[in-house]
Amino acid sequence: MEPECRVLSIQSHVVRGYVGNKAATFPLQVLGFEVDTVNSVQFSNHTGYAHWKGQVLNSDELHELYEGLKLNKVNRYDYVLTGYTRDTSFLAMVVDIVQELKQQNSDLVYVCDPVMGDKWNGEGSMYVPKDLLPVYRDKVVPVADIITPNQFEAELLTGRKIYTEKDALEVMDMLHAMGPETVVITSSDLQAPLGNDYLIALGSHRKTKADGTRITQRIRVESPKVDAVFVGTGDLFAAMLLAWTHKHPNNLKVACEKTVSAMQHVLQRTIKSAKVQAGEGNKPNSAQLELRMVQSKKDIENPEIIVKATVL
């Protein structure tokens, strides 16, 4: 029996569909983790729909929830996981909580998806307020152990553009220097050796041994592009990366292969199902493109490796 491993996941919540905590909790539970969720927002559905309604948790309310855990002495965690946030004071409060939890447990691993923006047709733009960038760069990333930015977010954090794989490796080194041991650039617009139908992700794991020597493991993962806009994939990716790096702590290659392969199984099942629901010749809508999470339980639990990583 493995010792209990507990995750505090501070992310958004939707009533319908899979994004934020809804996308992260199920896979983590399936993979054997206890998950305690703080819902940074509670919305009816994700904001890609025509309408959404709901409530937003502020930093005082987050602090109050954490105080409750502390009073009961149940604030010991092995992992903290965070994703999309729109508010600087909320993000600063998260950093305070992470620092306090790290005092409780020096082995705590903080997995942060620094969600700030993305590229569309080669042009990057932020979909959170610009004042979040300095908070991520100066406060969040230095306390994080694993970060999962996309290419645009990695460029924002380092102030450096990525045009080649060499640039990307140097940007990952810059990110390591800011704090995190593990950096995964989850998607990029770099040319994939396998061709235009593939998307490149890059990972780097840097460990400092007891004698002070550094070992860096770097990998490239090429996965088939899926022609649809999914929501919640980044949240699912970060959650599964947390799980598989826990199970394979010194093998980023295997952790990423399992994470990306499971993603592919989920996305392929989702697009197939969405097309059936939409009917011949119709474009699937947001509701039809919600991730088929429960239907993918076996693939999340024990993914058949269909995407291999290359060690660089």
Side-chain angles (χ1 to χ4, degrees):
M1 196 47 203
E2 270 189 63
E4 176 182 289
C5 198
R6 196 169 279 274
V7 180
L8 178 64
S9 183
I10 305 174
Q11 299 199 66
S12 52
H13 170 82
V14 288
V15 176
R16 174 65 186 259
Y18 291 97
V19 67
N21 271 333
K22 281 283 289 283
T25 305
F26 178 72
L28 283 168
Q29 289 174 328
V30 162
L31 289 164
F33 293 79
E34 286 288 350
V35 187
D36 293 358
T37 54
V38 173
N39 297 326
S40 56
V41 306
Q42 169 161 276
F43 285 171
S44 51
N45 44 267
H46 72 67
T47 56
Y49 285 76
H51 310 280
W52 69 90
K53 297 274 186 194
Q55 300 81 36
V56 177
L57 193 76
N58 65 36
S59 55
D60 291 342
E61 291 162 334
L62 169 61
H63 184 250
E64 191 182 343
L65 290 173
Y66 177 67
E67 282 300 304
L69 295 172
K70 211 159 99 177
L71 288 168
N72 290 310
K73 297 187 172 55
V74 288
N75 60 331
R76 192 187 185 286
Y77 289 94
D78 302 286
Y79 286 89
V80 175
L81 175 63
T82 64
Y84 179 76
T85 305
R86 285 193 66 82
D87 180 71
T88 51
S89 63
F90 191 89
L91 201 50
M93 179 60 67
V94 167
V95 173
D96 290 347
I97 289 172
V98 169
Q99 286 173 317
E100 192 168 309
L101 291 173
K102 283 192 170 195
Q103 286 168 356
Q104 295 270 352
N105 173 17
S106 58
D107 294 331
L108 179 131
V109 173
Y110 173 28
V111 181
C112 169
D113 185 5
V115 183
M116 289 182 283
D118 210 342
K119 289 189 176 185
W120 285 273
N121 307 323
E123 278 305 299
S125 67
M126 286 181 75
Y127 41 61
V128 299
K130 298 230 182 323
D131 56 0
L132 261 75
L133 172 57
V135 183
Y136 270 117
R137 188 187 56 223
D138 305 335
K139 291 189 172 150
V140 181
V141 172
V143 298
D145 301 284
I146 299 176
I147 57 168
T148 58
N150 58 33
Q151 178 181 333
F152 177 62
E153 290 156 350
E155 291 173 343
L156 282 177
L157 288 168
T158 56
R160 171 139 182 222
K161 287 265 189 268
I162 295 171
Y163 300 105
T164 62
E165 187 166 277
K166 184 172 171 289
D167 293 338
L169 296 178
E170 286 168 12
V171 163
M172 290 197 289
D173 282 343
M174 290 168 77
L175 289 167
H176 282 311
M178 291 162 75
E181 259 189 9
T182 303
V183 177
V184 177
I185 296 178
T186 54
S187 63
S188 69
D189 49 22
L190 294 172
Q191 182 64 44
L194 288 174
N196 291 336
D197 296 337
Y198 287 80
L199 194 66
I200 283 193
L202 294 159
S204 178
H205 177 65
R206 176 176 288 174
K207 201 96 178 133
T208 306
K209 292 192 350 198
D211 63 4
T213 53
R214 271 197 198 141
I215 314 170
T216 307
Q217 185 190 17
R218 292 176 163 150
I219 55 144
R220 179 199 316 124
V221 187
E222 297 173 77
S223 51
K225 286 180 181 169
V226 183
D227 184 28
V229 176
F230 300 100
V231 176
T233 48
D235 308 319
L236 175 60
F237 185 97
M240 289 197 297
L241 186 69
L242 181 163
W244 291 117
T245 51
H246 175 78
K247 293 175 193 289
H248 304 281
N250 298 310
N251 197 333
L252 186 63
K253 179 180 186 287
V254 169
C256 285
E257 285 174 347
K258 289 190 173 181
T259 299
V260 177
S261 294
M263 291 288 303
Q264 278 297 316
H265 291 301
V266 174
L267 295 182
Q268 297 298 346
R269 181 174 285 108
T270 301
I271 190 74
K272 211 168 135 185
S273 162
K275 281 177 173 166
V276 169
Q277 287 181 58
E280 196 71 39
N282 298 324
K283 208 170 175 294
N285 63 26
S286 290
Q288 290 158 344
L289 284 167
E290 290 286 6
L291 298 177
R292 295 291 177 278
M293 202 76 87
V294 175
Q295 298 81 349
S296 305
K297 177 177 175 285
K298 286 194 175 74
D299 293 317
I300 291 167
E301 210 163 5
N302 189 15
E304 181 198 337
I305 303 297
I306 51 173
V307 178
K308 287 279 200 207
T310 308
V311 176
L312 299 175

